[in-house]
Amino acid sequence: MGRVCTVCRHPGRGAIDAALVAGDASLNKIAQQYGVSSYALRRHRDRHLSPALAALREAEEAEREASLQQRIERLIERAERLLRAAEEDGRAQAALAAVRELRSLLELLGKASGELNDRPQVTVNLMASPEWLQLRSALLGALLPFPDARVAAAAVLELPAGTDEGEP
Ligand SMILES: [Zn+2]
C-alpha cells in the first residue's frame, strides 16, 4: 500500500507505455530493455496503463468514425452528381437508382454520425429535411414524362400511391 510504481516514475514511461500498447515485445523483454522488474511492469500495465490505453482506443475509434463519415459524404456527393446527370439526360431509371442510393447513403450517414442510434424519430426528420424534400421534388419533376417510373419512384420515396403532387 502506498508503494510508488517504478514504471510510472521511469523517465522512459512514454516509450514503455507505447511498447506495452504496441504489444510487439514480451513483458520480460520490455522490462529488460528499460531496467524495471517484470513484476512492476505487469502491475503497471494492469493498473496504470488501462486508462491510457482506453483513451488511445477512443481516439482511434473517433478517427475511424470521422473517416467513415467523410467516405459516406464523398459517396453522397457522387450520387448527387449522378442524379443531376441522369436528370439532365432524361434517364429515368438512372435517376431512380441514384435516388435510391442517396437515400440509403443519407441513412448510413445518420447512423455513422450517431444521430439515428438513440433517436428513432430522427428518421422522420431526415425524410422531412429540406435537402431530401428538394431532391424528392426534383426527381418527381424529372419523371413527369415517365408515369410508370414516377409511380415506382413514389413508392421508393414512401409517398402515398397515386399521388398527384406536381401534376400540372
Ligand atoms: Zn505505473
Side-chain angles (χ1 to χ4, degrees):
M1 199 169 137
R3 191 163 40 163
V4 174
C5 173
T6 53
V7 180
C8 279
R9 293 182 59 192
H10 197 283
R13 184 193 169 168
I16 294 173
D17 283 354
L20 287 171
V21 170
D24 294 332
S26 72
L27 270 182
N28 286 340
K29 208 167 179 181
I30 299 170
Q32 263 175 27
Q33 192 183 342
Y34 292 95
V36 296
S37 77
S38 3
Y39 171 80
L41 190 60
R42 176 173 290 111
R43 187 173 167 276
H44 170 78
R45 182 196 63 188
D46 294 344
R47 298 187 190 182
H48 305 147
L49 182 62
S50 27
L53 196 58
L56 186 77
R57 288 207 177 126
E58 230 165 75
E60 279 172 354
E61 183 79 0
E63 195 176 312
R64 198 186 59 80
E65 272 174 20
S67 67
L68 178 65
Q69 273 186 48
Q70 284 163 5
R71 276 150 68 187
I72 297 170
E73 278 161 11
R74 277 201 291 274
L75 285 173
I76 288 174
E77 283 167 19
R78 202 163 66 182
E80 283 172 344
R81 280 200 301 275
L82 286 173
L83 176 60
R84 275 196 297 274
E87 280 174 354
E88 280 162 16
D89 301 349
R91 287 175 290 132
Q93 284 303 319
L96 188 55
V99 165
R100 233 184 233 130
E101 194 59 31
L102 268 172
R103 189 184 143 183
S104 53
L105 284 169
L106 285 169
E107 282 172 1
L108 193 61
L109 181 65
K111 280 179 192 145
S113 58
E115 284 165 19
L116 296 180
N117 286 350
D118 310 306
R119 297 155 53 203
Q121 74 271 20
V122 175
T123 309
V124 175
N125 293 346
L126 174 70
M127 300 305 281
S129 72
E131 190 183 17
W132 173 251
L133 292 174
Q134 193 187 343
L135 214 144
R136 195 183 70 174
S137 63
L139 175 79
L140 290 176
L143 290 180
L144 273 174
F146 312 97
D148 290 349
R150 204 157 174 272
V151 168
V156 171
L157 302 173
E158 289 176 357
L159 291 173
T163 177
D164 44 31
E165 184 187 334
E167 291 282 319

